[in-house]
Amino acid sequence: MTSKGHAMAPGDITPIQQMVSSCSGAILTSLLVTPLDVVKIRLQAQHSPFLKGRCFVYCNGLMDHLCVCENGSSKVWYKAHGHFNGTLDAFVKIVRHEGIKSLWSGLPPTLVMAVPATVIYFTCYEQLHVALKVRLGEHADKAPLFAGAIARVGSVTVISPLELIRTKLQFQKQSYRELSACIRSAVEANGWRSLWRGWGPTLLRDVPFSAMYWYNYEQGKAWMCDRYNTTEPTFAITFLSGAASGSMASIATLPFDVVKTRRQVELGELQALNLASCKTSSTLSVMSKIVAEKGISGLFAGFLPRLIKVAPACAIMISTYEFGKAFFHKQNQETRLVRLQPGNS
């Protein structure tokens, strides 16, 4: 069945325009979603104060980043100031006592990694989706499944060592000018493969998430376009499809997210103690330990916070991205029509 949701021809926008669209979506998503995670971390710090050298995971709506706790001071954004009586109270008190900019604390350094990762991921997905639709023929509806998985493998492989190095620089309180020395010391101590530590658990969570997300998104978008008899998906259609598909994928991959977060923190704390050469627990052993401690339900810990974070992030990112693509599509069509007019050839 031909879907009305795919009226935009694949070649109508260039890879550069795809990159600009995904970059715009990435920045907007970070600006809108980061305050939720900042408040979550502050509430977490209130109940279980972070000790020096301990790690926590910070998310800017695009990807997870490991942060290390430093000596307490009034300038350290993740230290609780006063007492918060819930999420809304935390928002109000942070803005009132620390200024509205505090809701985006920790964001700038993480964008250096998150925005390029998102641009690589979305652009690769688009190119692979187009190529696979042609190759798969009558099974073209499965193209998003494979394109999403392959694109995620590519972006994780490129970004994993960079994120590991960023974390290492933070632990050792080094500047980016000392980047080459940091990479050299890591390679000399543990070999090139050490730069991809944590790559496996990240793939276990992100690849199934990506495959399910894109497949459900494209199917949902096409279904809604057919239902509302439109040839082009509206902002509302892409927003709702993104939120629904993101929710389903996040629930299905939650156990891997729990394991990945625990291993990420474990690896970070070994680095903080200069024990990076020590062997970290395997994915299976971490899963077994969680089940032994808390039962099967332990693998689904943080279900609601993850859903609240992932659903809006996916919705904002994909709807902004599709809006950007539609904008460039219209611009390119108008440029083409002008060129075709007599006297402009």
Side-chain angles (χ1 to χ4, degrees):
M1 185 176 82
T2 305
S3 166
K4 293 181 181 179
H6 297 282
M8 191 187 295
D12 276 353
I13 66 170
T14 65
I16 297 295
Q17 290 171 337
Q18 290 168 2
M19 288 179 186
V20 172
S21 299
S22 56
C23 184
S24 305
I27 292 168
L28 185 62
T29 302
S30 291
L31 290 174
L32 293 177
V33 176
T34 293
L36 295 173
D37 212 57
V38 168
V39 168
K40 184 204 80 175
I41 288 167
R42 295 291 286 276
L43 288 168
Q44 188 182 341
Q46 178 175 281
H47 295 298
S48 305
F50 297 129
L51 302 173
K52 184 187 176 186
R54 299 304 297 271
C55 301
F56 62 94
V57 174
Y58 167 86
C59 180
N60 55 23
L62 301 171
M63 61 187 287
D64 296 335
H65 301 274
L66 200 65
C67 293
V68 61
C69 304
E70 298 166 7
N71 279 326
S73 75
S74 59
K75 294 182 180 179
V76 180
W77 64 268
Y78 48 80
K79 298 292 181 185
H81 301 271
H83 183 77
F84 304 130
N85 298 312
T87 304
L88 187 59
D89 185 55
F91 268 109
V92 173
K93 285 182 178 173
I94 289 170
V95 172
R96 184 184 296 159
H97 298 300
E98 302 168 43
I100 196 164
K101 283 165 62 177
S102 293
L103 292 174
W104 287 274
S105 301
L107 178 61
T110 65
L111 283 183
V112 174
M113 220 66 70
V115 171
T118 306
V119 170
I120 292 167
Y121 172 47
F122 273 74
T123 308
C124 286
Y125 168 77
E126 285 288 348
Q127 300 301 311
L128 286 164
H129 186 209
V130 171
L132 287 170
K133 277 175 75 176
V134 174
R135 286 182 173 272
L136 292 173
E138 59 182 24
H139 300 292
D141 61 325
K142 303 294 188 299
L145 197 72
F146 297 109
I150 297 166
R152 181 55 84 182
V153 171
S155 66
V156 168
T157 302
V158 170
I159 295 299
S160 276
L162 299 177
E163 178 63 11
L164 199 72
I165 290 161
R166 184 197 69 82
T167 309
K168 196 176 180 67
L169 288 174
Q170 185 192 13
F171 284 130
Q172 297 177 357
K173 296 181 175 59
Q174 294 176 323
S175 68
Y176 281 96
R177 291 177 183 175
E178 298 167 289
L179 188 63
S180 59
C182 179
I183 296 170
R184 191 162 53 248
S185 67
V187 171
E188 285 173 0
N190 305 301
W192 283 102
R193 288 179 64 185
S194 66
L195 296 178
W196 279 271
R197 289 185 80 175
W199 179 77
T202 304
L203 286 188
L204 274 176
R205 182 195 65 176
D206 289 3
V207 171
F209 179 96
S210 186
M212 284 185 275
Y213 170 75
W214 284 110
Y215 180 76
N216 290 325
Y217 171 72
E218 298 289 359
Q219 292 290 316
K221 182 175 72 171
W223 180 81
M224 290 183 79
C225 284
D226 286 336
R227 182 177 174 81
Y228 294 103
N229 197 30
T230 176
T231 55
E232 293 290 351
T234 62
F235 184 87
I237 286 174
T238 56
F239 189 92
L240 291 172
S241 300
S245 56
S247 298
M248 288 186 280
S250 69
I251 293 167
T253 58
L254 185 57
F256 295 114
D257 181 62
V258 171
V259 171
K260 191 252 182 187
T261 301
R262 184 174 283 205
R263 287 196 65 189
Q264 193 176 14
V265 169
E266 180 188 338
L267 178 59
E269 289 175 354
L270 285 174
Q271 283 186 325
L273 297 168
N274 290 319
L275 299 172
S277 58
C278 293
K279 191 176 180 181
T280 55
S281 308
S282 68
T283 300
L284 192 60
S285 67
V286 171
M287 271 191 167
S288 302
K289 189 176 179 182
I290 292 170
V291 172
E293 289 173 359
K294 302 176 182 177
I296 294 292
S297 61
L299 293 174
F300 292 88
F303 164 78
L304 197 58
R306 178 162 161 79
L307 197 60
I308 290 168
K309 179 175 67 180
V310 172
C314 288
I316 295 163
M317 180 66 217
I318 197 65
S319 53
T320 309
Y321 176 61
E322 293 279 21
F323 180 84
K325 282 169 57 184
F327 170 80
F328 285 121
H329 169 68
K330 186 179 177 183
Q331 291 288 107
N332 293 349
Q333 276 192 326
E334 288 174 359
T335 303
R336 212 171 288 127
L337 285 171
V338 169
R339 286 177 181 168
L340 290 173
Q341 287 177 358
N344 290 324
S345 55

